Amino acid sequence: MSQPIVVTHPLAQVHLTRLRRDDTPADKFRWHLQRLAEILFTVASRALETSVISIRTPLAETEGHELARPLVLVPILRAGLGLSDAIHPLVPEATVAHIGIRRDEETALPHPYYAKLPPVLGRADVFVLDPMLATGGSACTAISQLKAAGAERITFLCVVSSPQGLEALDAAHPEVPIITAAIDEGLNDHAYIVPGLGDAGDRCFGTT
Ligand code: PRP
Ligand code: URA
C-alpha cells in the first residue's frame, strides 16, 4: 500500500485536538478546521509544478514563478466546505467544483446527489477535500466521478482517516496521494471513526 502523508506538525496536531474535543462549539470547530486546512494544503501542494516567468521589481528585472497548471478544489458536501473555505483564499485563482455525497445511515454506503464539474479538469491539479475518510466509500466515489470527467492529477486531503478507508482508497485509486493529519484506530459499528471527531458535517454546521 502506498503510504499516506501524515502531517505531524505541532500546530496541525493542536488544531486537530480542538476539533476532536466534544466541548468545541461549531464556531470554534470551523475556525480550527480552517486553520488546519491551511497547514494540510501547504503540504499537499508542495510538489505543484511552476513555470518560470520574467518580472520587474521596482529595482530590477528578475525571475519569478507561477503555477504551471490550473487548480481545481473539490469539496465533498457538506463537510468538505469547511476545508475549501480556508484553502480557496490561498489559491484564489482555483476553480471550485462541488460533489455532493451522503452516507446512508444504515449501510454507510455513499449516495452521490450532486456534481458540478468544470471542463478544465483534464488539464488541472485537482484536490479532493473531505475532513473524514471512514470506510472510504465517499472518497472513492468522488474520485471515480472526477476521473470519468477527465481528471488525471488528483490528490486527496482529509483531517482524520481510518486504516480501512486508507486501504479502500489505495485499492481503488492507488496513484492518488493522500494527505491526512491522523490515522485513527478504526471504525465503530456505525462506521464512525474512533476516536475520530464525530460527524464532521454536523459539527461544522451546528446540525447536531
Ligand atoms: C461524512 C464525511 C465524508 C463521509 C466519510 O459525510 O464528511 O464525506 O461521511 O465516510 P465514508 O468514508 O465512510 O464514506 P456525510 O455522508 O455524513 O455527509 P455530510 O457531510 O453532509 O454530513
Ligand atoms: N463521517 C463523519 O463525519 N465522521 C465519521 O467518523 C465517519 C463518517
Side-chain angles (χ1 to χ4, degrees), residues 11 17 99 101 110 127 159 202:
L11 294 183
T17 301
I99 290 185
I101 300 176
F127 291 86
V159 170
D202 282 347

Side-chain angles (χ1 to χ4, degrees), residues 111-135:
H111 292 277
Y113 61 86
Y114 182 78
K116 185 73 179 176
L117 307 180
V120 74
L121 275 180
R123 295 187 286 121
D125 288 296
V126 179
F127 291 86
V128 180
L129 312 172
D130 193 328
M132 311 305 281
L133 181 68
T135 66

